[in-house]
Amino acid sequence: MSTFPTPSTAAVNLKRKKVTTQTLRAMKHASQVISVLTAYDYPTALAMDQAGIDVILVGDSLGMVVLGYANTLPVTMEDMLHHCKAVSRGAQYAMLIGDMPFMSYQVSTDEAVRNAGRFLQEAGMDAVKLEGGSERLNAIRAIILAGIPVMGHLGLTPQSVHMLGGFRPQGRDAHAAMHLYEDAHLLQEAGCFSLVLESVPARLARYISEHLDIPTIGIGAGGGCDGQVLVTHDLLGLFERFTPKFVKKYASLYQEMSEAFTAYKTEVEGHIFPAQEHTIEMPDSEWESFLDKVDHA
Ligand code: KIV
């Protein structure tokens, strides 16, 4: 197994620079679309970095697609840091953003700053993301004051699933749309370098994106945002419990994985695996000598 880049990717990498908050702002102003994906482990981060993905988000979607919880609420700081560390070992160029889990920034600004700091100090992240609008301004300002870039997250904010009455689209009437628009401006004024817009009407997301200086990253928010993000397990067809309408599946890995496991079981049970080419041998002379030693032991 080799993790060394091939000559062609090595040549591409020579020209690559680490993506920063400035890069993202420049991309918005050059109308260059920003690609974002979630990752939770080393090999996925490595493959994304090689593919040139601009931003890797270690999302608290971890709780649902990797840890098997019904929602993101049980995810802890320790869960997040563990997976952020693995991702940071795999990615060299992409900007790395750690998602602050439920209750890591809601209790007090002091706790919010301390927890945000752990993502950078212990887990190799470049920035943090947290959910919410006007109610989160104090935490956001305090974290930024500590020198930590913050990405906002509006619309469907999964940590508020019980307040929202389920995983449902947001901002669909004029009043809710206005609230979202105002929150987006408040987050920009508070210093967020970017903003996720999740599950909001496409024309609202486009309008907000056109009226903000900071880049918006859409998920289920149409093509008018400055960038796009998907949960990688949805894109790969690895998460079978449900697939939101806005997901495009680029692979069916759960299906492939199941087929591989079934084939393995069949071959093990049928003595087909391991075959000759999968076995290790020792020289005949050493084997004879071993048998001799056993006989005389
Ligand atoms: O947790 C996550 O993966 C996210 C993305 C869906 C934006 O917040």
Side-chain angles (χ1 to χ4, degrees):
M1 187 186 73
S2 166
T3 56
F4 292 109
T6 59
S8 59
T9 54
V12 171
N13 289 345
L14 270 183
K15 292 186 224 125
R16 285 180 75 189
K17 284 200 181 125
K18 170 85 181 170
V19 176
T20 65
T21 55
Q22 275 75 19
T23 319
L24 301 186
R25 192 174 270 246
M27 286 176 79
K28 174 173 176 119
H29 291 290
S31 299
Q32 250 181 287
V33 183
I34 300 162
S35 56
V36 185
L37 281 174
T38 66
Y40 318 97
D41 59 43
Y42 168 81
T44 312
L46 189 68
M48 281 175 189
D49 213 38
Q50 292 291 312
I53 296 297
D54 298 308
V55 177
I56 299 177
L57 169 68
V58 187
D60 66 349
S61 48
L62 163 79
M64 296 175 76
V65 300
V66 174
L67 302 180
Y69 295 127
N71 55 46
T72 58
L73 302 186
V75 177
T76 64
M77 273 299 295
E78 300 313 317
D79 291 333
M80 289 306 303
L81 295 176
H82 179 71
H83 287 269
C84 286
K85 286 177 195 173
V87 166
S88 74
R89 289 191 281 265
Q92 203 181 336
Y93 300 103
M95 180 173 190
L96 303 180
I97 303 178
D99 212 0
M100 296 194 70
F102 183 54
M103 282 300 152
S104 69
Y105 56 94
Q106 289 90 342
V107 178
S108 72
T109 51
D110 281 358
E111 262 190 62
V113 175
R114 203 160 289 121
N115 283 324
R118 294 186 71 193
F119 278 92
L120 275 66
Q121 197 165 42
E122 298 174 35
M125 295 290 104
D126 304 313
V128 296
K129 175 172 87 58
L130 58 86
E131 299 180 5
S134 52
E135 73 282 13
R136 296 290 157 242
L137 292 179
N138 286 342
I140 290 171
R141 287 198 195 101
I143 294 169
I144 293 170
L145 213 56
I148 301 165
V150 176
M151 172 182 252
H153 185 158
L154 294 175
L156 170 52
T157 45
Q159 290 175 18
S160 308
V161 61
H162 297 309
M163 291 290 283
L164 301 175
F167 294 105
R168 53 181 72 240
Q170 301 296 309
R172 293 181 82 188
D173 61 53
H175 179 77
M178 191 61 201
H179 190 60
L180 239 155
Y181 177 76
E182 285 171 352
D183 268 353
H185 280 276
L186 287 175
L187 292 189
Q188 173 170 274
E189 281 155 25
C192 286
F193 70 90
S194 175
L195 191 57
V196 168
L197 293 174
E198 178 164 352
S199 218
V200 302
R203 62 176 114 179
L204 174 62
R206 182 182 292 278
Y207 191 85
I208 291 173
S209 305
E210 285 170 358
H211 287 81
L212 288 183
D213 289 326
I214 58 172
T216 60
I217 307 296
I219 173 163
C225 293
D226 302 301
Q228 294 293 326
V229 58
L230 277 179
V231 170
T232 293
H233 285 52
D234 289 336
L235 167 157
L236 292 177
L238 254 177
F239 184 64
E240 288 295 277
R241 214 158 69 208
F242 66 89
T243 306
K245 169 180 154 48
F246 54 75
V247 166
K248 179 170 176 183
K249 278 193 185 181
Y250 288 81
S252 299
L253 293 197
Y254 184 84
Q255 179 70 23
E256 271 199 51
M257 187 164 73
S258 302
E259 284 167 12
F261 295 153
T262 305
Y264 168 75
K265 178 178 160 65
T266 306
E267 292 203 354
V268 166
E269 288 173 356
H271 301 282
I272 297 166
F273 177 82
Q276 191 61 39
E277 65 268 29
H278 308 117
T279 54
I280 298 157
E281 264 313 345
M282 61 197 288
D284 288 349
S285 57
E286 293 300 325
W287 179 243
E288 296 305 331
S289 161
F290 164 72
L291 290 179
D292 199 47
K293 282 186 199 299
V294 171
D295 275 350
H296 292 93

